[in-house]
Amino acid sequence: MKKIKKVLALIFSSVMVLSLVSCGGSNTQSTNTVSGEKQAKKVSIATGGTSGTYYGFSGVVANVLTEKTGITFTTESTGASKVNVQLVDAGESQIAILQNDVMSYAFNATDMFKGENKVQSFSAIASVYPEEIQIVARKGINNVAELKGCKVSVGDAGSGTEFNARQILEAYGLDIEKDIIKNNQSFADSADSIKNGSIDAAFVTAGSPTVAITELSSTYDFNLVSMDDAHIGILQSKYPFYTKTPIAANTYKPVTTETNGVAVMATFIASNGLDEETVYQFTKGLFEYKSEFQHAKAALLDAKIGITGTGDVPFHPGAIKYYKEIGLMK
């Protein structure tokens, strides 16, 4: 009888050990305990509206990198920049694309994040392409200073475009609330209002060419207002996330000369909780597989530009690993 009890006890102990090993294996996210191979992870990328550039560009990137890396990247349609910061902070998305100025506002609790807690649960991956601040105006307006007293659309209320307009006008000594007749309209509505004469100018923050302006150019003759270097310098001294970015001649039918101006950068960020290897694979793939991204913005991808425009927001360790590997960081 004693021998039988010992055998039963031994069997029971063996079963418990196997159960514990099994439980431990089921919680492993990156390694298959049988084969030792990495399991595919799922990473959500917060983008923008389904008709916007963020969604289309990020979708192409996600599809190619899923195939190349074995990590499953999925894109989510969102309300874009500010919402994307909030989604990453809440852990609902692990990567996001957004304007670098909005990234700075969140990190430092300024402008559209003023009065809120600083959001510092994310790090930068890369700046990917410029989003020019295009100032579309009726003929006769050639300089930002000439907007004084004019009816000007500054984008939707509380939008990134409105803050861009506020800061550029400020660089020229103009107050957005006092020195212009401010209108808050979408890009499409702004274009219609310029055409019918109900406003004089509009700020549009978007990669050029922008659909609303292209459509306007087919039926209406307008100016793109240029910024001079001195005032760009004043702007950048206070808001270093701006980059000097000219808009090429003939981007729009009526504008046959280059337009001097500034841009914010569309930028990928990652949650600080996302592991280094996943961010490394994403960053490396972003630049090394760009020829396979079937999207117009892919041609603008450049790792040297990728490390610019992030201000005081630190890079994710996974991104740093890649930039060190190619000699862009020490």
Side-chain angles (χ1 to χ4, degrees):
M1 180 62 73
K2 288 182 179 180
K3 288 184 178 180
I4 293 173
K5 285 183 178 180
K6 286 183 179 179
V7 171
L8 289 174
L10 183 60
I11 292 171
F12 179 76
S13 298
S14 299
V15 169
M16 287 297 292
V17 170
L18 289 172
S19 296
L20 289 170
V21 171
S22 177
C23 290
S26 67
N27 288 328
T28 302
Q29 294 181 356
S30 61
T31 306
N32 182 308
T33 55
V34 176
S35 65
E37 295 175 353
K38 286 187 177 181
Q39 294 178 340
K41 299 174 183 178
K42 291 185 178 180
V43 178
S44 169
I45 305 174
T47 62
T50 55
S51 62
T53 305
Y54 282 179
Y55 185 82
F57 175 73
S58 299
V60 169
V61 170
N63 289 339
V64 172
L65 296 193
T66 295
E67 178 185 346
K68 298 292 186 180
T69 67
I71 302 167
T72 302
F73 293 99
T74 62
T75 52
E76 313 299 334
S77 175
T78 71
S81 293
K82 183 174 183 179
V83 173
N84 290 353
V85 171
Q86 294 166 333
L87 287 170
V88 170
D89 187 52
E92 295 181 31
S93 292
Q94 293 75 51
I95 290 176
I97 187 170
L98 70 164
Q99 291 179 200
N100 67 336
D101 55 338
V102 176
M103 175 179 73
S104 177
Y105 303 153
F107 195 79
N108 296 293
T110 60
D111 295 276
M112 68 172 63
F113 285 84
K114 189 174 183 178
E116 301 180 27
N117 292 328
K118 292 180 180 180
V119 183
Q120 298 188 343
S121 56
F122 66 88
S123 306
I125 295 177
S127 294
V128 287
Y129 61 83
E131 297 182 83
E132 297 94 341
I133 292 84
Q134 302 164 83
I135 309 172
V136 187
R138 60 172 171 77
K139 286 289 187 178
I141 297 177
N142 301 293
N143 186 283
V144 175
E146 293 171 1
L147 294 174
K148 186 172 183 176
C150 292
K151 297 175 182 177
V152 183
S153 173
V154 295
D156 292 323
S159 66
T161 300
E162 183 172 17
F163 283 96
N164 298 146
R166 183 184 300 275
Q167 292 155 4
I168 289 170
L169 291 168
E170 178 188 276
Y172 280 81
L174 300 178
D175 187 313
I176 194 172
E177 304 295 343
K178 298 176 182 177
D179 292 323
I180 64 168
I181 302 168
K182 186 178 73 169
N183 285 253
N184 290 109
Q185 298 180 355
S186 69
F187 298 160
D189 288 343
S190 295
D192 288 341
S193 295
I194 289 175
K195 185 177 178 179
N196 65 35
S198 59
I199 65 172
D200 301 299
F203 283 79
V204 176
T205 301
S208 65
T210 303
V211 173
I213 306 176
T214 299
E215 290 178 351
L216 177 65
S217 71
S218 65
T219 57
Y220 185 81
D221 193 11
F222 59 82
N223 277 346
L224 281 180
V225 177
S226 221
M227 293 181 66
D228 60 88
D229 288 346
H231 285 92
I232 289 175
I234 292 170
L235 179 69
Q236 290 176 319
S237 67
K238 188 168 183 180
Y239 304 103
F241 46 73
Y242 284 106
T243 58
K244 181 180 176 182
T245 308
I247 299 171
N250 302 307
T251 297
Y252 303 107
K253 184 179 176 181
V255 186
T256 57
T257 58
E258 183 178 88
T259 304
N260 203 31
V262 295
V264 291
M265 295 296 293
T267 304
F268 278 116
I269 63 170
S271 166
N272 291 340
L274 188 57
D275 66 278
E276 180 179 317
E277 182 62 19
T278 296
V279 177
Y280 167 77
Q281 293 293 343
F282 183 89
T283 311
K284 181 177 181 178
L286 190 63
F287 297 108
E288 298 195 1
Y289 297 121
K290 72 175 189 176
S291 63
E292 299 188 37
F293 301 150
Q294 299 300 306
H295 194 283
K297 296 301 181 187
L300 302 176
L301 286 167
D302 184 333
K304 291 179 182 178
I305 293 172
I307 61 173
T308 67
T310 58
D312 52 1
V313 178
F315 281 93
H316 192 284
I320 292 172
K321 179 181 177 181
Y322 174 70
Y323 293 131
K324 284 183 174 180
E325 190 175 89
I326 61 173
L328 289 180
M329 287 185 179
K330 293 182 180 179

